[in-house]
Amino acid sequence: MNFQHPKQMLFTIFKWIFICILIGILSGSASAFFLVALEWVTQFRIHHDWIVWFLPFGGLLVGLSYYYWGEAVVKGNNLLLDEYENPQKVIPFKMAPLVLLGTLLTHLFGGSAGREGTAVQMGGAIADQFTRLFKLENTDRKILIILGISAGFASVFGTPIAGAIFALEVLYFSKINLKSIILSFLVAYVAYFTVEFWQVKHTHYSIPVVPELGFINLCYVLLIGALSGLAALLFSRSTHFWGTLFSKNIKYPPLRPFIGGIILAIAIAGFGLTKFSGLGVPVIVDSFSNANPWYDFLLKILFTGFTLGAGFKGGEVTPLFFVGATLGSALSLVIPLPIALLAGLGFVAVFSGATHTPIACTVMGIELFGIQPAIFIAIACTIAYFSSGSVGIYKSQIVKGAKYKLYQRLNSNF
């Protein structure tokens, strides 16, 4: 018996390492392909402005594909969170190709959306297939979902530490053990290095000047954090509002992105608002050196909320980066801090508020911008987290801890 126990332990260890390597390679390769394809469709759209007029038909294709083949996976990221909290059945693998195709069509024709949702859903769908392959119980299946989220996030943004923490924190560390933590980091790095192996590049940002954190600068950072939290609140509420409005008034789901696409195409082409199509990475990069108009972040919230609410596919995180970076950049006209620092703080703080993940966002800021602005980033992300309301972009996410208690007390007082 004493001889068998170490053998069983070694088998379990090697089994999970093997699973992590497979998930990391498969998810990382899927993200690499997605990033390359996404860049291609983005460049095609940029050089062919007329294609935005086909946005309604792209929306109809997305709507029809999910209505006839993807009803079981239409909830997207929320399905991953639901299956983690209350396991029912293995996530269908078709989630991966459906969200990939839907996101590429959305970006090709000019919808305003992100990419993290796509990578996370592909990672989650890939990872959950190992439930059947290795005949895993629900407890171990929870670990697979963590691994899928971690691999998808780390690979699509090139931030393995933040990806590993995000997968744990977005679930509020619920039923997390040491095994989950170690494996989450392992799969994140495998996925990250897989993308590196395929020589797919990520966008680089820098904050060249970081001042001392005195009392006045601390007050500025607190203000930026609070405003970022409010922007995150507006973003989340906007997405949910448009989703509810479309579902209530248009009963046939495929028509929702078709009609939404007509409105978006007229708005984008008619008013020359192409900067709000797609990811908006060039605008994000530019915001680190040039002040944006004060309304840019509001228009990105409007366009993204409308796009996703109508039923188009993609993520919310890169648009959140856009919202935060342009908000911080605009604030440089009234707040005497370096523009790159303000844009960087908004970049991660709005994300923190909208996803209830201040730790992951702080780490992500350090991975992207370096250690020098770490204290500024941590403060802004924490304040944004507490000031962004109790509902984030993921409806199925469970909010607990200090934030939950704060809003429970506020609700009871009012």
Side-chain angles (χ1 to χ4, degrees), residues 53-64 246 250 252-265 306 310-312:
W53 292 111
F54 288 89
L55 185 58
F57 302 103
L60 185 61
L61 283 175
V62 173
L64 288 171
F246 272 97
I250 304 173
Y252 184 57
L255 280 181
R256 296 168 193 166
F258 177 75
I259 294 172
I262 293 173
I263 297 170
L264 283 169
F306 191 90
F312 287 91

PDB file of all heavy atoms in Angstrom, residues 53-64 246 250 252-265 306 310-312:
ATOM      1  N   TRP A  53     -20.921  48.523 -45.099  1.00  0.00           N
ATOM      2  CA  TRP A  53     -22.321  48.427 -45.517  1.00  0.00           C
ATOM      3  C   TRP A  53     -22.824  46.985 -45.534  1.00  0.00           C
ATOM      4  O   TRP A  53     -24.035  46.736 -45.615  1.00  0.00           O
ATOM      5  CB  TRP A  53     -22.502  49.064 -46.895  1.00  0.00           C
ATOM      6  CG  TRP A  53     -22.310  50.548 -46.867  1.00  0.00           C
ATOM      7  CD1 TRP A  53     -21.280  51.256 -47.422  1.00  0.00           C
ATOM      8  CD2 TRP A  53     -23.143  51.513 -46.227  1.00  0.00           C
ATOM      9  NE1 TRP A  53     -21.417  52.596 -47.169  1.00  0.00           N
ATOM     10  CE2 TRP A  53     -22.565  52.792 -46.444  1.00  0.00           C
ATOM     11  CE3 TRP A  53     -24.335  51.439 -45.499  1.00  0.00           C
ATOM     12  CZ2 TRP A  53     -23.131  53.959 -45.950  1.00  0.00           C
ATOM     13  CZ3 TRP A  53     -24.891  52.606 -45.003  1.00  0.00           C
ATOM     14  CH2 TRP A  53     -24.298  53.844 -45.235  1.00  0.00           C
ATOM     15  N   PHE A  54     -21.902  46.036 -45.453  1.00  0.00           N
ATOM     16  CA  PHE A  54     -22.289  44.627 -45.400  1.00  0.00           C
ATOM     17  C   PHE A  54     -22.400  44.121 -43.955  1.00  0.00           C
ATOM     18  O   PHE A  54     -22.624  42.935 -43.734  1.00  0.00           O
ATOM     19  CB  PHE A  54     -21.284  43.768 -46.174  1.00  0.00           C
ATOM     20  CG  PHE A  54     -21.373  43.935 -47.661  1.00  0.00           C
ATOM     21  CD1 PHE A  54     -20.638  44.919 -48.302  1.00  0.00           C
ATOM     22  CD2 PHE A  54     -22.214  43.132 -48.408  1.00  0.00           C
ATOM     23  CE1 PHE A  54     -20.728  45.086 -49.682  1.00  0.00           C
ATOM     24  CE2 PHE A  54     -22.309  43.288 -49.787  1.00  0.00           C
ATOM     25  CZ  PHE A  54     -21.561  44.279 -50.422  1.00  0.00           C
ATOM     26  N   LEU A  55     -22.240  45.043 -42.997  1.00  0.00           N
ATOM     27  CA  LEU A  55     -22.332  44.662 -41.585  1.00  0.00           C
ATOM     28  C   LEU A  55     -23.664  43.984 -41.240  1.00  0.00           C
ATOM     29  O   LEU A  55     -23.672  42.996 -40.497  1.00  0.00           O
ATOM     30  CB  LEU A  55     -22.098  45.882 -40.695  1.00  0.00           C
ATOM     31  CG  LEU A  55     -22.029  45.651 -39.183  1.00  0.00           C
ATOM     32  CD1 LEU A  55     -20.934  44.665 -38.820  1.00  0.00           C
ATOM     33  CD2 LEU A  55     -21.815  46.975 -38.443  1.00  0.00           C
ATOM     34  N   PRO A  56     -24.805  44.449 -41.773  1.00  0.00           N
ATOM     35  CA  PRO A  56     -26.071  43.755 -41.454  1.00  0.00           C
ATOM     36  C   PRO A  56     -26.069  42.292 -41.895  1.00  0.00           C
ATOM     37  O   PRO A  56     -26.582  41.421 -41.181  1.00  0.00           O
ATOM     38  CB  PRO A  56     -27.117  44.557 -42.226  1.00  0.00           C
ATOM     39  CG  PRO A  56     -26.507  45.895 -42.430  1.00  0.00           C
ATOM     40  CD  PRO A  56     -25.027  45.649 -42.585  1.00  0.00           C
ATOM     41  N   PHE A  57     -25.465  42.016 -43.069  1.00  0.00           N
ATOM     42  CA  PHE A  57     -25.454  40.645 -43.570  1.00  0.00           C
ATOM     43  C   PHE A  57     -24.461  39.781 -42.788  1.00  0.00           C
ATOM     44  O   PHE A  57     -24.705  38.592 -42.565  1.00  0.00           O
ATOM     45  CB  PHE A  57     -25.112  40.650 -45.061  1.00  0.00           C
ATOM     46  CG  PHE A  57     -26.073  41.470 -45.873  1.00  0.00           C
ATOM     47  CD1 PHE A  57     -25.714  42.738 -46.314  1.00  0.00           C
ATOM     48  CD2 PHE A  57     -27.346  40.995 -46.157  1.00  0.00           C
ATOM     49  CE1 PHE A  57     -26.613  43.517 -47.038  1.00  0.00           C
ATOM     50  CE2 PHE A  57     -28.246  41.762 -46.885  1.00  0.00           C
ATOM     51  CZ  PHE A  57     -27.881  43.028 -47.323  1.00  0.00           C
ATOM     52  N   GLY A  58     -23.365  40.407 -42.343  1.00  0.00           N
ATOM     53  CA  GLY A  58     -22.449  39.699 -41.445  1.00  0.00           C
ATOM     54  C   GLY A  58     -23.140  39.360 -40.144  1.00  0.00           C
ATOM     55  O   GLY A  58     -22.995  38.252 -39.607  1.00  0.00           O
ATOM     56  N   GLY A  59     -23.933  40.308 -39.633  1.00  0.00           N
ATOM     57  CA  GLY A  59     -24.691  40.075 -38.408  1.00  0.00           C
ATOM     58  C   GLY A  59     -25.716  38.972 -38.580  1.00  0.00           C
ATOM     59  O   GLY A  59     -25.927  38.146 -37.686  1.00  0.00           O
ATOM     60  N   LEU A  60     -26.355  38.938 -39.746  1.00  0.00           N
ATOM     61  CA  LEU A  60     -27.341  37.899 -40.017  1.00  0.00           C
ATOM     62  C   LEU A  60     -26.681  36.524 -40.032  1.00  0.00           C
ATOM     63  O   LEU A  60     -27.238  35.553 -39.491  1.00  0.00           O
ATOM     64  CB  LEU A  60     -28.027  38.165 -41.352  1.00  0.00           C
ATOM     65  CG  LEU A  60     -29.168  37.226 -41.740  1.00  0.00           C
ATOM     66  CD1 LEU A  60     -30.304  37.297 -40.719  1.00  0.00           C
ATOM     67  CD2 LEU A  60     -29.677  37.549 -43.144  1.00  0.00           C
ATOM     68  N   LEU A  61     -25.489  36.425 -40.619  1.00  0.00           N
ATOM     69  CA  LEU A  61     -24.753  35.159 -40.625  1.00  0.00           C
ATOM     70  C   LEU A  61     -24.426  34.715 -39.203  1.00  0.00           C
ATOM     71  O   LEU A  61     -24.572  33.537 -38.849  1.00  0.00           O
ATOM     72  CB  LEU A  61     -23.471  35.303 -41.442  1.00  0.00           C
ATOM     73  CG  LEU A  61     -23.615  35.284 -42.961  1.00  0.00           C
ATOM     74  CD1 LEU A  61     -22.270  35.558 -43.616  1.00  0.00           C
ATOM     75  CD2 LEU A  61     -24.158  33.931 -43.431  1.00  0.00           C
ATOM     76  N   VAL A  62     -23.969  35.658 -38.389  1.00  0.00           N
ATOM     77  CA  VAL A  62     -23.655  35.339 -36.994  1.00  0.00           C
ATOM     78  C   VAL A  62     -24.911  34.882 -36.266  1.00  0.00           C
ATOM     79  O   VAL A  62     -24.912  33.866 -35.555  1.00  0.00           O
ATOM     80  CB  VAL A  62     -23.036  36.563 -36.273  1.00  0.00           C
ATOM     81  CG1 VAL A  62     -22.860  36.280 -34.780  1.00  0.00           C
ATOM     82  CG2 VAL A  62     -21.695  36.935 -36.893  1.00  0.00           C
ATOM     83  N   GLY A  63     -25.995  35.627 -36.448  1.00  0.00           N
ATOM     84  CA  GLY A  63     -27.245  35.286 -35.778  1.00  0.00           C
ATOM     85  C   GLY A  63     -27.783  33.928 -36.198  1.00  0.00           C
ATOM     86  O   GLY A  63     -28.219  33.138 -35.345  1.00  0.00           O
ATOM     87  N   LEU A  64     -27.737  33.645 -37.486  1.00  0.00           N
ATOM     88  CA  LEU A  64     -28.237  32.358 -37.979  1.00  0.00           C
ATOM     89  C   LEU A  64     -27.384  31.199 -37.478  1.00  0.00           C
ATOM     90  O   LEU A  64     -27.909  30.135 -37.111  1.00  0.00           O
ATOM     91  CB  LEU A  64     -28.266  32.358 -39.509  1.00  0.00           C
ATOM     92  CG  LEU A  64     -29.353  33.219 -40.163  1.00  0.00           C
ATOM     93  CD1 LEU A  64     -29.124  33.310 -41.671  1.00  0.00           C
ATOM     94  CD2 LEU A  64     -30.745  32.667 -39.866  1.00  0.00           C
ATOM     95  N   PHE A 246     -32.814  44.568 -27.292  1.00  0.00           N
ATOM     96  CA  PHE A 246     -32.933  43.790 -28.523  1.00  0.00           C
ATOM     97  C   PHE A 246     -33.740  42.513 -28.296  1.00  0.00           C
ATOM     98  O   PHE A 246     -34.583  42.149 -29.116  1.00  0.00           O
ATOM     99  CB  PHE A 246     -31.539  43.445 -29.066  1.00  0.00           C
ATOM    100  CG  PHE A 246     -30.970  44.496 -29.976  1.00  0.00           C
ATOM    101  CD1 PHE A 246     -30.090  45.443 -29.496  1.00  0.00           C
ATOM    102  CD2 PHE A 246     -31.332  44.545 -31.314  1.00  0.00           C
ATOM    103  CE1 PHE A 246     -29.561  46.418 -30.321  1.00  0.00           C
ATOM    104  CE2 PHE A 246     -30.808  45.513 -32.161  1.00  0.00           C
ATOM    105  CZ  PHE A 246     -29.928  46.460 -31.660  1.00  0.00           C
ATOM    106  N   ILE A 250     -37.154  42.239 -30.458  1.00  0.00           N
ATOM    107  CA  ILE A 250     -36.975  41.465 -31.685  1.00  0.00           C
ATOM    108  C   ILE A 250     -36.959  39.988 -31.290  1.00  0.00           C
ATOM    109  O   ILE A 250     -35.961  39.484 -30.770  1.00  0.00           O
ATOM    110  CB  ILE A 250     -35.675  41.858 -32.414  1.00  0.00           C
ATOM    111  CG1 ILE A 250     -35.661  43.359 -32.706  1.00  0.00           C
ATOM    112  CG2 ILE A 250     -35.533  41.067 -33.724  1.00  0.00           C
ATOM    113  CD1 ILE A 250     -34.362  43.863 -33.277  1.00  0.00           C
ATOM    114  N   TYR A 252     -37.119  37.157 -33.058  1.00  0.00           N
ATOM    115  CA  TYR A 252     -36.343  36.207 -33.870  1.00  0.00           C
ATOM    116  C   TYR A 252     -34.862  36.585 -33.756  1.00  0.00           C
ATOM    117  O   TYR A 252     -34.425  37.594 -34.336  1.00  0.00           O
ATOM    118  CB  TYR A 252     -36.810  36.253 -35.312  1.00  0.00           C
ATOM    119  CG  TYR A 252     -36.143  35.241 -36.215  1.00  0.00           C
ATOM    120  CD1 TYR A 252     -36.191  33.870 -35.922  1.00  0.00           C
ATOM    121  CD2 TYR A 252     -35.471  35.648 -37.361  1.00  0.00           C
ATOM    122  CE1 TYR A 252     -35.587  32.948 -36.762  1.00  0.00           C
ATOM    123  CE2 TYR A 252     -34.868  34.726 -38.207  1.00  0.00           C
ATOM    124  CZ  TYR A 252     -34.918  33.375 -37.894  1.00  0.00           C
ATOM    125  OH  TYR A 252     -34.318  32.461 -38.713  1.00  0.00           O
ATOM    126  N   PRO A 253     -34.071  35.831 -33.004  1.00  0.00           N
ATOM    127  CA  PRO A 253     -32.694  36.225 -32.685  1.00  0.00           C
ATOM    128  C   PRO A 253     -31.808  36.605 -33.874  1.00  0.00           C
ATOM    129  O   PRO A 253     -31.054  37.589 -33.777  1.00  0.00           O
ATOM    130  CB  PRO A 253     -32.148  35.000 -31.941  1.00  0.00           C
ATOM    131  CG  PRO A 253     -33.342  34.387 -31.308  1.00  0.00           C
ATOM    132  CD  PRO A 253     -34.444  34.582 -32.302  1.00  0.00           C
ATOM    133  N   PRO A 254     -31.838  35.882 -35.018  1.00  0.00           N
ATOM    134  CA  PRO A 254     -30.957  36.278 -36.124  1.00  0.00           C
ATOM    135  C   PRO A 254     -31.212  37.680 -36.666  1.00  0.00           C
ATOM    136  O   PRO A 254     -30.323  38.297 -37.274  1.00  0.00           O
ATOM    137  CB  PRO A 254     -31.255  35.219 -37.195  1.00  0.00           C
ATOM    138  CG  PRO A 254     -31.695  34.016 -36.431  1.00  0.00           C
ATOM    139  CD  PRO A 254     -32.496  34.583 -35.297  1.00  0.00           C
ATOM    140  N   LEU A 255     -32.423  38.200 -36.450  1.00  0.00           N
ATOM    141  CA  LEU A 255     -32.732  39.548 -36.937  1.00  0.00           C
ATOM    142  C   LEU A 255     -32.095  40.633 -36.067  1.00  0.00           C
ATOM    143  O   LEU A 255     -31.957  41.781 -36.522  1.00  0.00           O
ATOM    144  CB  LEU A 255     -34.242  39.763 -36.995  1.00  0.00           C
ATOM    145  CG  LEU A 255     -34.982  39.181 -38.207  1.00  0.00           C
ATOM    146  CD1 LEU A 255     -36.468  39.502 -38.108  1.00  0.00           C
ATOM    147  CD2 LEU A 255     -34.390  39.713 -39.509  1.00  0.00           C
ATOM    148  N   ARG A 256     -31.734  40.284 -34.826  1.00  0.00           N
ATOM    149  CA  ARG A 256     -31.176  41.299 -33.928  1.00  0.00           C
ATOM    150  C   ARG A 256     -29.869  41.875 -34.464  1.00  0.00           C
ATOM    151  O   ARG A 256     -29.738  43.105 -34.595  1.00  0.00           O
ATOM    152  CB  ARG A 256     -30.995  40.720 -32.522  1.00  0.00           C
ATOM    153  CG  ARG A 256     -32.307  40.331 -31.860  1.00  0.00           C
ATOM    154  CD  ARG A 256     -32.105  39.500 -30.608  1.00  0.00           C
ATOM    155  NE  ARG A 256     -33.357  38.889 -30.172  1.00  0.00           N
ATOM    156  CZ  ARG A 256     -33.437  37.913 -29.279  1.00  0.00           C
ATOM    157  NH1 ARG A 256     -32.333  37.416 -28.722  1.00  0.00           N
ATOM    158  NH2 ARG A 256     -34.610  37.406 -28.948  1.00  0.00           N
ATOM    159  N   PRO A 257     -28.857  41.045 -34.785  1.00  0.00           N
ATOM    160  CA  PRO A 257     -27.633  41.628 -35.342  1.00  0.00           C
ATOM    161  C   PRO A 257     -27.835  42.183 -36.748  1.00  0.00           C
ATOM    162  O   PRO A 257     -27.073  43.066 -37.171  1.00  0.00           O
ATOM    163  CB  PRO A 257     -26.648  40.446 -35.348  1.00  0.00           C
ATOM    164  CG  PRO A 257     -27.492  39.221 -35.313  1.00  0.00           C
ATOM    165  CD  PRO A 257     -28.719  39.597 -34.545  1.00  0.00           C
ATOM    166  N   PHE A 258     -28.837  41.701 -37.494  1.00  0.00           N
ATOM    167  CA  PHE A 258     -29.110  42.250 -38.818  1.00  0.00           C
ATOM    168  C   PHE A 258     -29.589  43.699 -38.689  1.00  0.00           C
ATOM    169  O   PHE A 258     -29.051  44.611 -39.340  1.00  0.00           O
ATOM    170  CB  PHE A 258     -30.162  41.407 -39.532  1.00  0.00           C
ATOM    171  CG  PHE A 258     -30.544  41.945 -40.883  1.00  0.00           C
ATOM    172  CD1 PHE A 258     -29.686  41.802 -41.965  1.00  0.00           C
ATOM    173  CD2 PHE A 258     -31.753  42.605 -41.069  1.00  0.00           C
ATOM    174  CE1 PHE A 258     -30.034  42.306 -43.222  1.00  0.00           C
ATOM    175  CE2 PHE A 258     -32.108  43.109 -42.309  1.00  0.00           C
ATOM    176  CZ  PHE A 258     -31.241  42.959 -43.389  1.00  0.00           C
ATOM    177  N   ILE A 259     -30.583  43.911 -37.846  1.00  0.00           N
ATOM    178  CA  ILE A 259     -31.117  45.269 -37.644  1.00  0.00           C
ATOM    179  C   ILE A 259     -30.068  46.146 -36.952  1.00  0.00           C
ATOM    180  O   ILE A 259     -29.860  47.312 -37.321  1.00  0.00           O
ATOM    181  CB  ILE A 259     -32.414  45.217 -36.827  1.00  0.00           C
ATOM    182  CG1 ILE A 259     -33.507  44.502 -37.648  1.00  0.00           C
ATOM    183  CG2 ILE A 259     -32.878  46.615 -36.432  1.00  0.00           C
ATOM    184  CD1 ILE A 259     -34.782  44.214 -36.882  1.00  0.00           C
ATOM    185  N   GLY A 260     -29.388  45.570 -35.959  1.00  0.00           N
ATOM    186  CA  GLY A 260     -28.319  46.320 -35.296  1.00  0.00           C
ATOM    187  C   GLY A 260     -27.228  46.698 -36.278  1.00  0.00           C
ATOM    188  O   GLY A 260     -26.665  47.797 -36.203  1.00  0.00           O
ATOM    189  N   GLY A 261     -26.928  45.800 -37.210  1.00  0.00           N
ATOM    190  CA  GLY A 261     -25.901  46.075 -38.212  1.00  0.00           C
ATOM    191  C   GLY A 261     -26.273  47.220 -39.135  1.00  0.00           C
ATOM    192  O   GLY A 261     -25.424  48.008 -39.549  1.00  0.00           O
ATOM    193  N   ILE A 262     -27.560  47.318 -39.481  1.00  0.00           N
ATOM    194  CA  ILE A 262     -28.022  48.435 -40.316  1.00  0.00           C
ATOM    195  C   ILE A 262     -27.772  49.764 -39.607  1.00  0.00           C
ATOM    196  O   ILE A 262     -27.226  50.714 -40.190  1.00  0.00           O
ATOM    197  CB  ILE A 262     -29.526  48.279 -40.646  1.00  0.00           C
ATOM    198  CG1 ILE A 262     -29.760  47.058 -41.541  1.00  0.00           C
ATOM    199  CG2 ILE A 262     -30.067  49.543 -41.317  1.00  0.00           C
ATOM    200  CD1 ILE A 262     -31.224  46.743 -41.774  1.00  0.00           C
ATOM    201  N   ILE A 263     -28.145  49.820 -38.329  1.00  0.00           N
ATOM    202  CA  ILE A 263     -27.975  51.057 -37.551  1.00  0.00           C
ATOM    203  C   ILE A 263     -26.500  51.390 -37.400  1.00  0.00           C
ATOM    204  O   ILE A 263     -26.079  52.552 -37.558  1.00  0.00           O
ATOM    205  CB  ILE A 263     -28.656  50.917 -36.174  1.00  0.00           C
ATOM    206  CG1 ILE A 263     -30.168  50.722 -36.356  1.00  0.00           C
ATOM    207  CG2 ILE A 263     -28.378  52.140 -35.305  1.00  0.00           C
ATOM    208  CD1 ILE A 263     -30.900  50.332 -35.088  1.00  0.00           C
ATOM    209  N   LEU A 264     -25.681  50.377 -37.094  1.00  0.00           N
ATOM    210  CA  LEU A 264     -24.246  50.605 -36.931  1.00  0.00           C
ATOM    211  C   LEU A 264     -23.604  51.075 -38.225  1.00  0.00           C
ATOM    212  O   LEU A 264     -22.773  51.993 -38.225  1.00  0.00           O
ATOM    213  CB  LEU A 264     -23.564  49.325 -36.450  1.00  0.00           C
ATOM    214  CG  LEU A 264     -23.713  48.963 -34.975  1.00  0.00           C
ATOM    215  CD1 LEU A 264     -23.218  47.539 -34.720  1.00  0.00           C
ATOM    216  CD2 LEU A 264     -22.951  49.950 -34.100  1.00  0.00           C
ATOM    217  N   ALA A 265     -23.958  50.443 -39.346  1.00  0.00           N
ATOM    218  CA  ALA A 265     -23.372  50.814 -40.632  1.00  0.00           C
ATOM    219  C   ALA A 265     -23.685  52.267 -40.976  1.00  0.00           C
ATOM    220  O   ALA A 265     -22.809  53.015 -41.437  1.00  0.00           O
ATOM    221  CB  ALA A 265     -23.878  49.883 -41.729  1.00  0.00           C
ATOM    222  N   PHE A 306     -23.695  48.505 -27.997  1.00  0.00           N
ATOM    223  CA  PHE A 306     -24.704  48.278 -29.029  1.00  0.00           C
ATOM    224  C   PHE A 306     -24.340  47.062 -29.882  1.00  0.00           C
ATOM    225  O   PHE A 306     -25.201  46.222 -30.183  1.00  0.00           O
ATOM    226  CB  PHE A 306     -24.829  49.521 -29.909  1.00  0.00           C
ATOM    227  CG  PHE A 306     -26.010  49.489 -30.843  1.00  0.00           C
ATOM    228  CD1 PHE A 306     -27.234  49.988 -30.447  1.00  0.00           C
ATOM    229  CD2 PHE A 306     -25.890  48.960 -32.113  1.00  0.00           C
ATOM    230  CE1 PHE A 306     -28.341  49.953 -31.297  1.00  0.00           C
ATOM    231  CE2 PHE A 306     -26.971  48.916 -32.981  1.00  0.00           C
ATOM    232  CZ  PHE A 306     -28.196  49.417 -32.576  1.00  0.00           C
ATOM    233  N   ALA A 310     -26.548  43.686 -29.638  1.00  0.00           N
ATOM    234  CA  ALA A 310     -27.322  43.285 -30.817  1.00  0.00           C
ATOM    235  C   ALA A 310     -27.095  41.822 -31.178  1.00  0.00           C
ATOM    236  O   ALA A 310     -27.864  41.254 -31.956  1.00  0.00           O
ATOM    237  CB  ALA A 310     -26.958  44.170 -32.002  1.00  0.00           C
ATOM    238  N   GLY A 311     -26.026  41.227 -30.638  1.00  0.00           N
ATOM    239  CA  GLY A 311     -25.794  39.814 -30.908  1.00  0.00           C
ATOM    240  C   GLY A 311     -24.547  39.509 -31.705  1.00  0.00           C
ATOM    241  O   GLY A 311     -24.297  38.350 -32.056  1.00  0.00           O
ATOM    242  N   PHE A 312     -23.733  40.535 -32.002  1.00  0.00           N
ATOM    243  CA  PHE A 312     -22.448  40.276 -32.637  1.00  0.00           C
ATOM    244  C   PHE A 312     -21.518  39.629 -31.621  1.00  0.00           C
ATOM    245  O   PHE A 312     -21.777  39.675 -30.407  1.00  0.00           O
ATOM    246  CB  PHE A 312     -21.841  41.573 -33.166  1.00  0.00           C
ATOM    247  CG  PHE A 312     -22.515  42.114 -34.394  1.00  0.00           C
ATOM    248  CD1 PHE A 312     -23.566  43.020 -34.295  1.00  0.00           C
ATOM    249  CD2 PHE A 312     -22.108  41.715 -35.659  1.00  0.00           C
ATOM    250  CE1 PHE A 312     -24.201  43.509 -35.421  1.00  0.00           C
ATOM    251  CE2 PHE A 312     -22.733  42.200 -36.799  1.00  0.00           C
ATOM    252  CZ  PHE A 312     -23.785  43.101 -36.686  1.00  0.00           C
TER     253      PHE A 312
END
